[in-house]
Amino acid sequence: MAMLAINDLHASVDGKEILKGLSLSVNEGEVHAIMGPNGSGKSTLSKVLAGHPDYEVTSGRVEFEVNLRMRNVLDMAPEERARNGIFLAYQYPVEIPGVPNSAFLRAAFNAVCKHQGAKEVSEEAFAPILKEKCKLLGMDERFIDREVNVAFSGGEKKRNEILQMAIIQPRLAFLDETDSGLDVDSLRIVSEGVNKLRRQDNAVVLVTHYQRILNYIVPDYVHVLYQGRIIKSGKKDLALEIEEKGYDWLLKDFVN
Amino acid sequence: MAEIVKESLTDRDYKYGFETQIETEFFPKGLSEDVVHMIADKRNDPPFVREFRIKAYRHWLTMKEPTWADVSYAPIDFQEIRYYSAPKSKKEGSGPASLDDIDPELIETFNKLGIPLSEQKRLTGVAIDAVFDSVSVGTTHQEELAEAGVIFCSLTEAIHNHPDLVEKYLGTVVPYKDNYYAALNSAVFTDGSFVFIPKGVRCPLDLSTYFRINARETGQFERTLIVAEEGAYVSYLEGCTAPMRDENQLHAAVVELVALDRAEIKYSTVQNWYAGDKEGKGGIYNFVTKRGICQGVKSKISWTQVETGSAVTWKYPSVILKGDYSSGEFYSVALTNNRMQADTGTKMIHIGKNTSSRIISKGISCDQSINTYRGQVKIFPSAENARNFSQCDSMLVGDQCTANTHPYLEVKNNSALVEHEATTSKISADQIFYMKSRGIDEEGAVSLLLHGFCKDVFKTLPLEFSIEAVKLLEMKLEGSVG
């Protein structure tokens, strides 16, 4: 059974239609890569999935499996989507001055605990959990005392997204251009982090321009998004082919 | 957390906005020297108090309303205000003989406000003086405090029972000539609290005064005086609410603190006067003069305020650092929403050697409100090695609010070290969405932002107060962010 089923999704922002009938199905344990040139709708797809209020879904369905039942994601508030296991790693993580990373991470962790009927954890009980995750991702512990994303380098912000993912342990992680702006070392660290978090029962969708990250996180499927639709799907070889030939050979049949 | 969330969803409106139906005795509207005499007659003032009033009144007539604050409001017609209003059951001219004499309606009012006065229900660890309109209706834990030698009663009682002490200190920190509203208060003040902690005594309880405006068209002019003798310590808390009304009401209080050698006074306020409606109609004009003097060596005065109410606020709790090695602190969170206007801050006047002061101000402006920090740090030539640190942060919610910061530094001694830091940040919809996409709901997100922004002030609040104060802020902020 599919974990995520997107069917003929149309969505617009400021009255302009960006997604024009997108369909995608993701199963447990899979890694999907969504590639495409600028302006094809990649980020819009991420935002729609997370429930950003600026994006309006005009038609189509998005369903996500919760306790073996498919639930309508579009009916859920953003926080409800997150608690049910949908995670978006932002392309541009937001800075939250004044709020310590540790307090933010604990609030997120407790939101999931509460949703699952588990006891919320105290600051003291959370500290070792946080420490362990930092260690798993090879992150400096000083990270957690800083204010959320404030004065973080580009690489640090992306790693902080993965730390959040490690804390929340989502079933579906949607990584929106997590590779952009990263140098080779950061890219490797971030990718290793994601790989360590992979399990049989979760799935990863990588949204990216470049094939680069796919050397580290190897996808089962590659999709090409163009003008708001998936115009081609294939195995990981497709990414290599795009790397070699660019997008033009795929797009020429689709120019409006 | 869960309880807070529930509370904030259901109690978004001003839950203290009710009016108590009680038989009230009040003066006709208007102010004149006769009215000042009538107040003195009513309260059986001894000559020194009457004289203080008349001098103040005559001086007030020569003064002009201050206009330098970043606030605007319709001119106040001082002849349209009543200057005395009291529940009728009260005996004239003195405080209540015992709490049993209090009208049950008043007990009920304070119960509704979360301030139990009756013997069975009263809060442990906190003694409370409850002021209703112009008079104190009762003070709890009197005997316990008396045992420690602490005097905590209404100012009226103090004037009658401890006239020497009152005469010695009244008007010494805030002279009647100080400013327009202080002069007005000095002329017509009715009740308030009096605290005296004798030499070497650490007050065994937190002391608290709860001010309630109830009567219509009545001004509240309370006056509080706190004296801590050598080596004494007291923590004092103040809370205030008023009914929701369409017309504005004037509250012009004076608070004076005196700390002798090595004494420490910690004064905390949660101000939640009715702030008017969304369009800015109604609400309290809160024009208050609060000042403390660190008279003795190594004395310490600390003001903490959480300002969440009033239509217009004009308030600068200050410290005169006269004793060598004395220190003053000001911690403030001021939240304005709808069309509230707050001009608030502090003055730290360094006179003694090695004096130090610390100012932490957090202003949160929402909706179309105006939130101004105005602070003065003055180092006299005599203040060798004076130290000041000021941190003034503003947080903006939405794009229609205003935040201003006016720091005034006047340094007349080269050995002084004065630091000032200021920041402005903005709560954006993106921040809220980011947190939501991590499973945190709006209440949780607002709470995180608020705690993050105000943590330096919250940690100075007494425990009994901080939960209530933080809840109040979360509730108001959430209404504006959502």
PDB file of all heavy atoms in Angstrom, chain B residues 84-113:
ATOM      1  N   TYR B  84     -13.888  60.551  44.975  1.00  0.00           N
ATOM      2  CA  TYR B  84     -14.037  59.632  46.107  1.00  0.00           C
ATOM      3  C   TYR B  84     -15.199  58.696  45.845  1.00  0.00           C
ATOM      4  O   TYR B  84     -16.268  59.112  45.419  1.00  0.00           O
ATOM      5  CB  TYR B  84     -14.285  60.409  47.406  1.00  0.00           C
ATOM      6  CG  TYR B  84     -14.313  59.529  48.639  1.00  0.00           C
ATOM      7  CD1 TYR B  84     -13.120  59.185  49.286  1.00  0.00           C
ATOM      8  CD2 TYR B  84     -15.520  59.029  49.138  1.00  0.00           C
ATOM      9  CE1 TYR B  84     -13.142  58.361  50.407  1.00  0.00           C
ATOM     10  CE2 TYR B  84     -15.541  58.208  50.261  1.00  0.00           C
ATOM     11  CZ  TYR B  84     -14.342  57.873  50.888  1.00  0.00           C
ATOM     12  OH  TYR B  84     -14.357  57.057  51.991  1.00  0.00           O
ATOM     13  N   SER B  85     -14.976  57.439  46.064  1.00  0.00           N
ATOM     14  CA  SER B  85     -16.033  56.452  45.923  1.00  0.00           C
ATOM     15  C   SER B  85     -15.685  55.279  46.814  1.00  0.00           C
ATOM     16  O   SER B  85     -14.556  54.788  46.792  1.00  0.00           O
ATOM     17  CB  SER B  85     -16.118  55.998  44.464  1.00  0.00           C
ATOM     18  OG  SER B  85     -16.862  54.800  44.383  1.00  0.00           O
ATOM     19  N   ALA B  86     -16.630  54.848  47.641  1.00  0.00           N
ATOM     20  CA  ALA B  86     -16.325  53.758  48.564  1.00  0.00           C
ATOM     21  C   ALA B  86     -17.561  52.908  48.801  1.00  0.00           C
ATOM     22  O   ALA B  86     -18.682  53.431  48.798  1.00  0.00           O
ATOM     23  CB  ALA B  86     -15.828  54.331  49.890  1.00  0.00           C
ATOM     24  N   PRO B  87     -17.380  51.624  48.982  1.00  0.00           N
ATOM     25  CA  PRO B  87     -18.517  50.769  49.333  1.00  0.00           C
ATOM     26  C   PRO B  87     -19.135  51.285  50.621  1.00  0.00           C
ATOM     27  O   PRO B  87     -18.419  51.631  51.562  1.00  0.00           O
ATOM     28  CB  PRO B  87     -17.886  49.394  49.557  1.00  0.00           C
ATOM     29  CG  PRO B  87     -16.505  49.471  49.010  1.00  0.00           C
ATOM     30  CD  PRO B  87     -16.108  50.894  48.974  1.00  0.00           C
ATOM     31  N   LYS B  88     -20.464  51.345  50.667  1.00  0.00           N
ATOM     32  CA  LYS B  88     -21.128  52.071  51.747  1.00  0.00           C
ATOM     33  C   LYS B  88     -20.983  51.404  53.116  1.00  0.00           C
ATOM     34  O   LYS B  88     -20.968  52.082  54.137  1.00  0.00           O
ATOM     35  CB  LYS B  88     -22.600  52.248  51.424  1.00  0.00           C
ATOM     36  CG  LYS B  88     -23.140  53.528  52.022  1.00  0.00           C
ATOM     37  CD  LYS B  88     -24.433  53.922  51.354  1.00  0.00           C
ATOM     38  CE  LYS B  88     -24.792  55.350  51.725  1.00  0.00           C
ATOM     39  NZ  LYS B  88     -25.946  55.821  50.985  1.00  0.00           N
ATOM     40  N   SER B  89     -20.856  50.119  53.119  1.00  0.00           N
ATOM     41  CA  SER B  89     -20.850  49.417  54.398  1.00  0.00           C
ATOM     42  C   SER B  89     -19.650  49.771  55.270  1.00  0.00           C
ATOM     43  O   SER B  89     -19.619  49.481  56.451  1.00  0.00           O
ATOM     44  CB  SER B  89     -20.880  47.911  54.153  1.00  0.00           C
ATOM     45  OG  SER B  89     -19.843  47.561  53.267  1.00  0.00           O
ATOM     46  N   LYS B  90     -18.688  50.384  54.621  1.00  0.00           N
ATOM     47  CA  LYS B  90     -17.465  50.642  55.366  1.00  0.00           C
ATOM     48  C   LYS B  90     -17.616  51.771  56.380  1.00  0.00           C
ATOM     49  O   LYS B  90     -18.256  52.768  56.118  1.00  0.00           O
ATOM     50  CB  LYS B  90     -16.343  51.000  54.387  1.00  0.00           C
ATOM     51  CG  LYS B  90     -15.066  50.269  54.707  1.00  0.00           C
ATOM     52  CD  LYS B  90     -13.948  50.716  53.808  1.00  0.00           C
ATOM     53  CE  LYS B  90     -13.332  51.990  54.324  1.00  0.00           C
ATOM     54  NZ  LYS B  90     -12.699  51.841  55.614  1.00  0.00           N
ATOM     55  N   LYS B  91     -17.023  51.581  57.513  1.00  0.00           N
ATOM     56  CA  LYS B  91     -17.015  52.646  58.515  1.00  0.00           C
ATOM     57  C   LYS B  91     -16.168  53.799  58.005  1.00  0.00           C
ATOM     58  O   LYS B  91     -15.180  53.602  57.308  1.00  0.00           O
ATOM     59  CB  LYS B  91     -16.405  52.120  59.820  1.00  0.00           C
ATOM     60  CG  LYS B  91     -17.334  51.201  60.564  1.00  0.00           C
ATOM     61  CD  LYS B  91     -16.633  50.698  61.818  1.00  0.00           C
ATOM     62  CE  LYS B  91     -17.116  49.335  62.187  1.00  0.00           C
ATOM     63  NZ  LYS B  91     -16.066  48.488  62.708  1.00  0.00           N
ATOM     64  N   GLU B  92     -16.577  54.980  58.385  1.00  0.00           N
ATOM     65  CA  GLU B  92     -15.872  56.143  57.863  1.00  0.00           C
ATOM     66  C   GLU B  92     -14.569  56.413  58.596  1.00  0.00           C
ATOM     67  O   GLU B  92     -14.462  56.196  59.792  1.00  0.00           O
ATOM     68  CB  GLU B  92     -16.776  57.365  57.966  1.00  0.00           C
ATOM     69  CG  GLU B  92     -17.895  57.294  56.942  1.00  0.00           C
ATOM     70  CD  GLU B  92     -18.864  58.445  57.080  1.00  0.00           C
ATOM     71  OE1 GLU B  92     -18.565  59.380  57.835  1.00  0.00           O
ATOM     72  OE2 GLU B  92     -19.915  58.386  56.439  1.00  0.00           O
ATOM     73  N   GLY B  93     -13.607  56.872  57.833  1.00  0.00           N
ATOM     74  CA  GLY B  93     -12.415  57.425  58.428  1.00  0.00           C
ATOM     75  C   GLY B  93     -11.391  56.451  58.957  1.00  0.00           C
ATOM     76  O   GLY B  93     -10.359  56.840  59.449  1.00  0.00           O
ATOM     77  N   SER B  94     -11.662  55.180  58.889  1.00  0.00           N
ATOM     78  CA  SER B  94     -10.653  54.238  59.356  1.00  0.00           C
ATOM     79  C   SER B  94     -10.757  52.957  58.539  1.00  0.00           C
ATOM     80  O   SER B  94     -11.727  52.727  57.841  1.00  0.00           O
ATOM     81  CB  SER B  94     -10.880  53.916  60.830  1.00  0.00           C
ATOM     82  OG  SER B  94     -12.078  53.186  60.968  1.00  0.00           O
ATOM     83  N   GLY B  95      -9.782  52.150  58.664  1.00  0.00           N
ATOM     84  CA  GLY B  95      -9.823  50.884  57.948  1.00  0.00           C
ATOM     85  C   GLY B  95     -10.810  49.951  58.617  1.00  0.00           C
ATOM     86  O   GLY B  95     -11.317  50.233  59.703  1.00  0.00           O
ATOM     87  N   PRO B  96     -11.120  48.852  57.963  1.00  0.00           N
ATOM     88  CA  PRO B  96     -12.065  47.910  58.558  1.00  0.00           C
ATOM     89  C   PRO B  96     -11.476  47.299  59.824  1.00  0.00           C
ATOM     90  O   PRO B  96     -10.285  47.007  59.883  1.00  0.00           O
ATOM     91  CB  PRO B  96     -12.248  46.853  57.483  1.00  0.00           C
ATOM     92  CG  PRO B  96     -11.068  46.992  56.583  1.00  0.00           C
ATOM     93  CD  PRO B  96     -10.564  48.386  56.712  1.00  0.00           C
ATOM     94  N   ALA B  97     -12.345  47.125  60.839  1.00  0.00           N
ATOM     95  CA  ALA B  97     -11.870  46.596  62.111  1.00  0.00           C
ATOM     96  C   ALA B  97     -11.378  45.166  61.924  1.00  0.00           C
ATOM     97  O   ALA B  97     -10.339  44.788  62.426  1.00  0.00           O
ATOM     98  CB  ALA B  97     -12.986  46.634  63.140  1.00  0.00           C
ATOM     99  N   SER B  98     -12.114  44.382  61.174  1.00  0.00           N
ATOM    100  CA  SER B  98     -11.645  43.030  60.902  1.00  0.00           C
ATOM    101  C   SER B  98     -12.218  42.579  59.574  1.00  0.00           C
ATOM    102  O   SER B  98     -13.151  43.187  59.040  1.00  0.00           O
ATOM    103  CB  SER B  98     -12.083  42.087  62.025  1.00  0.00           C
ATOM    104  OG  SER B  98     -13.161  41.290  61.596  1.00  0.00           O
ATOM    105  N   LEU B  99     -11.668  41.525  59.057  1.00  0.00           N
ATOM    106  CA  LEU B  99     -12.118  41.054  57.750  1.00  0.00           C
ATOM    107  C   LEU B  99     -13.575  40.592  57.796  1.00  0.00           C
ATOM    108  O   LEU B  99     -14.246  40.538  56.779  1.00  0.00           O
ATOM    109  CB  LEU B  99     -11.210  39.917  57.268  1.00  0.00           C
ATOM    110  CG  LEU B  99      -9.803  40.369  56.869  1.00  0.00           C
ATOM    111  CD1 LEU B  99      -8.873  39.175  56.764  1.00  0.00           C
ATOM    112  CD2 LEU B  99      -9.828  41.126  55.559  1.00  0.00           C
ATOM    113  N   ASP B 100     -14.067  40.271  59.010  1.00  0.00           N
ATOM    114  CA  ASP B 100     -15.460  39.828  59.136  1.00  0.00           C
ATOM    115  C   ASP B 100     -16.437  40.943  58.786  1.00  0.00           C
ATOM    116  O   ASP B 100     -17.590  40.689  58.464  1.00  0.00           O
ATOM    117  CB  ASP B 100     -15.741  39.364  60.576  1.00  0.00           C
ATOM    118  CG  ASP B 100     -14.771  38.267  60.991  1.00  0.00           C
ATOM    119  OD1 ASP B 100     -14.269  37.575  60.082  1.00  0.00           O
ATOM    120  OD2 ASP B 100     -14.510  38.128  62.193  1.00  0.00           O
ATOM    121  N   ASP B 101     -15.970  42.191  58.892  1.00  0.00           N
ATOM    122  CA  ASP B 101     -16.865  43.312  58.625  1.00  0.00           C
ATOM    123  C   ASP B 101     -17.069  43.581  57.140  1.00  0.00           C
ATOM    124  O   ASP B 101     -17.882  44.398  56.758  1.00  0.00           O
ATOM    125  CB  ASP B 101     -16.300  44.597  59.266  1.00  0.00           C
ATOM    126  CG  ASP B 101     -16.252  44.477  60.773  1.00  0.00           C
ATOM    127  OD1 ASP B 101     -16.896  43.549  61.300  1.00  0.00           O
ATOM    128  OD2 ASP B 101     -15.558  45.290  61.410  1.00  0.00           O
ATOM    129  N   ILE B 102     -16.282  42.915  56.304  1.00  0.00           N
ATOM    130  CA  ILE B 102     -16.351  43.225  54.880  1.00  0.00           C
ATOM    131  C   ILE B 102     -17.655  42.713  54.285  1.00  0.00           C
ATOM    132  O   ILE B 102     -18.097  41.608  54.577  1.00  0.00           O
ATOM    133  CB  ILE B 102     -15.168  42.596  54.125  1.00  0.00           C
ATOM    134  CG1 ILE B 102     -13.840  43.079  54.713  1.00  0.00           C
ATOM    135  CG2 ILE B 102     -15.234  42.940  52.647  1.00  0.00           C
ATOM    136  CD1 ILE B 102     -12.651  42.389  54.113  1.00  0.00           C
ATOM    137  N   ASP B 103     -18.243  43.530  53.463  1.00  0.00           N
ATOM    138  CA  ASP B 103     -19.443  43.147  52.726  1.00  0.00           C
ATOM    139  C   ASP B 103     -19.153  41.855  51.942  1.00  0.00           C
ATOM    140  O   ASP B 103     -18.158  41.772  51.221  1.00  0.00           O
ATOM    141  CB  ASP B 103     -19.765  44.291  51.751  1.00  0.00           C
ATOM    142  CG  ASP B 103     -21.098  44.093  51.054  1.00  0.00           C
ATOM    143  OD1 ASP B 103     -21.390  42.943  50.668  1.00  0.00           O
ATOM    144  OD2 ASP B 103     -21.820  45.082  50.893  1.00  0.00           O
ATOM    145  N   PRO B 104     -20.037  40.848  52.072  1.00  0.00           N
ATOM    146  CA  PRO B 104     -19.797  39.586  51.359  1.00  0.00           C
ATOM    147  C   PRO B 104     -19.690  39.779  49.842  1.00  0.00           C
ATOM    148  O   PRO B 104     -18.980  39.031  49.161  1.00  0.00           O
ATOM    149  CB  PRO B 104     -21.032  38.737  51.693  1.00  0.00           C
ATOM    150  CG  PRO B 104     -21.699  39.399  52.836  1.00  0.00           C
ATOM    151  CD  PRO B 104     -21.234  40.808  52.920  1.00  0.00           C
ATOM    152  N   GLU B 105     -20.357  40.799  49.353  1.00  0.00           N
ATOM    153  CA  GLU B 105     -20.301  41.100  47.914  1.00  0.00           C
ATOM    154  C   GLU B 105     -18.861  41.425  47.487  1.00  0.00           C
ATOM    155  O   GLU B 105     -18.399  41.058  46.414  1.00  0.00           O
ATOM    156  CB  GLU B 105     -21.224  42.283  47.618  1.00  0.00           C
ATOM    157  CG  GLU B 105     -21.465  42.572  46.153  1.00  0.00           C
ATOM    158  CD  GLU B 105     -22.218  41.456  45.444  1.00  0.00           C
ATOM    159  OE1 GLU B 105     -23.129  40.855  46.071  1.00  0.00           O
ATOM    160  OE2 GLU B 105     -21.879  41.178  44.284  1.00  0.00           O
ATOM    161  N   LEU B 106     -18.151  42.110  48.376  1.00  0.00           N
ATOM    162  CA  LEU B 106     -16.765  42.473  48.084  1.00  0.00           C
ATOM    163  C   LEU B 106     -15.860  41.248  48.154  1.00  0.00           C
ATOM    164  O   LEU B 106     -14.973  41.067  47.320  1.00  0.00           O
ATOM    165  CB  LEU B 106     -16.271  43.522  49.096  1.00  0.00           C
ATOM    166  CG  LEU B 106     -16.769  44.941  48.862  1.00  0.00           C
ATOM    167  CD1 LEU B 106     -16.275  45.848  49.971  1.00  0.00           C
ATOM    168  CD2 LEU B 106     -16.297  45.443  47.513  1.00  0.00           C
ATOM    169  N   ILE B 107     -16.106  40.410  49.161  1.00  0.00           N
ATOM    170  CA  ILE B 107     -15.332  39.172  49.283  1.00  0.00           C
ATOM    171  C   ILE B 107     -15.503  38.371  47.986  1.00  0.00           C
ATOM    172  O   ILE B 107     -14.544  37.855  47.418  1.00  0.00           O
ATOM    173  CB  ILE B 107     -15.841  38.327  50.485  1.00  0.00           C
ATOM    174  CG1 ILE B 107     -15.669  39.106  51.777  1.00  0.00           C
ATOM    175  CG2 ILE B 107     -15.171  36.960  50.517  1.00  0.00           C
ATOM    176  CD1 ILE B 107     -14.408  38.864  52.552  1.00  0.00           C
ATOM    177  N   GLU B 108     -16.772  38.330  47.524  1.00  0.00           N
ATOM    178  CA  GLU B 108     -17.091  37.586  46.306  1.00  0.00           C
ATOM    179  C   GLU B 108     -16.372  38.183  45.097  1.00  0.00           C
ATOM    180  O   GLU B 108     -15.825  37.477  44.253  1.00  0.00           O
ATOM    181  CB  GLU B 108     -18.616  37.596  46.108  1.00  0.00           C
ATOM    182  CG  GLU B 108     -19.145  36.630  45.071  1.00  0.00           C
ATOM    183  CD  GLU B 108     -18.448  35.274  45.070  1.00  0.00           C
ATOM    184  OE1 GLU B 108     -18.216  34.657  46.141  1.00  0.00           O
ATOM    185  OE2 GLU B 108     -18.104  34.825  43.960  1.00  0.00           O
ATOM    186  N   THR B 109     -16.353  39.514  45.028  1.00  0.00           N
ATOM    187  CA  THR B 109     -15.661  40.199  43.928  1.00  0.00           C
ATOM    188  C   THR B 109     -14.192  39.775  43.879  1.00  0.00           C
ATOM    189  O   THR B 109     -13.672  39.395  42.830  1.00  0.00           O
ATOM    190  CB  THR B 109     -15.739  41.729  44.105  1.00  0.00           C
ATOM    191  OG1 THR B 109     -17.106  42.102  44.058  1.00  0.00           O
ATOM    192  CG2 THR B 109     -14.973  42.453  43.014  1.00  0.00           C
ATOM    193  N   PHE B 110     -13.553  39.816  45.016  1.00  0.00           N
ATOM    194  CA  PHE B 110     -12.131  39.471  45.043  1.00  0.00           C
ATOM    195  C   PHE B 110     -11.918  37.976  44.805  1.00  0.00           C
ATOM    196  O   PHE B 110     -10.928  37.577  44.187  1.00  0.00           O
ATOM    197  CB  PHE B 110     -11.466  39.976  46.328  1.00  0.00           C
ATOM    198  CG  PHE B 110     -11.178  41.452  46.278  1.00  0.00           C
ATOM    199  CD1 PHE B 110     -12.041  42.370  46.835  1.00  0.00           C
ATOM    200  CD2 PHE B 110     -10.053  41.920  45.606  1.00  0.00           C
ATOM    201  CE1 PHE B 110     -11.794  43.733  46.753  1.00  0.00           C
ATOM    202  CE2 PHE B 110      -9.792  43.277  45.518  1.00  0.00           C
ATOM    203  CZ  PHE B 110     -10.670  44.195  46.097  1.00  0.00           C
ATOM    204  N   ASN B 111     -12.885  37.151  45.244  1.00  0.00           N
ATOM    205  CA  ASN B 111     -12.801  35.721  44.912  1.00  0.00           C
ATOM    206  C   ASN B 111     -12.796  35.520  43.407  1.00  0.00           C
ATOM    207  O   ASN B 111     -12.020  34.742  42.862  1.00  0.00           O
ATOM    208  CB  ASN B 111     -14.001  34.960  45.501  1.00  0.00           C
ATOM    209  CG  ASN B 111     -13.781  34.613  46.967  1.00  0.00           C
ATOM    210  OD1 ASN B 111     -12.647  34.633  47.445  1.00  0.00           O
ATOM    211  ND2 ASN B 111     -14.858  34.305  47.659  1.00  0.00           N
ATOM    212  N   LYS B 112     -13.707  36.255  42.750  1.00  0.00           N
ATOM    213  CA  LYS B 112     -13.825  36.155  41.290  1.00  0.00           C
ATOM    214  C   LYS B 112     -12.528  36.574  40.594  1.00  0.00           C
ATOM    215  O   LYS B 112     -12.211  36.110  39.512  1.00  0.00           O
ATOM    216  CB  LYS B 112     -14.952  37.068  40.798  1.00  0.00           C
ATOM    217  CG  LYS B 112     -16.235  36.328  40.430  1.00  0.00           C
ATOM    218  CD  LYS B 112     -17.358  37.329  40.340  1.00  0.00           C
ATOM    219  CE  LYS B 112     -17.990  37.413  38.972  1.00  0.00           C
ATOM    220  NZ  LYS B 112     -19.151  38.341  39.008  1.00  0.00           N
ATOM    221  N   LEU B 113     -11.819  37.487  41.237  1.00  0.00           N
ATOM    222  CA  LEU B 113     -10.559  37.963  40.669  1.00  0.00           C
ATOM    223  C   LEU B 113      -9.400  37.036  41.039  1.00  0.00           C
ATOM    224  O   LEU B 113      -8.257  37.277  40.672  1.00  0.00           O
ATOM    225  CB  LEU B 113     -10.264  39.376  41.166  1.00  0.00           C
ATOM    226  CG  LEU B 113     -11.278  40.456  40.770  1.00  0.00           C
ATOM    227  CD1 LEU B 113     -11.024  41.731  41.549  1.00  0.00           C
ATOM    228  CD2 LEU B 113     -11.215  40.732  39.281  1.00  0.00           C
TER     229      LEU B 113
END
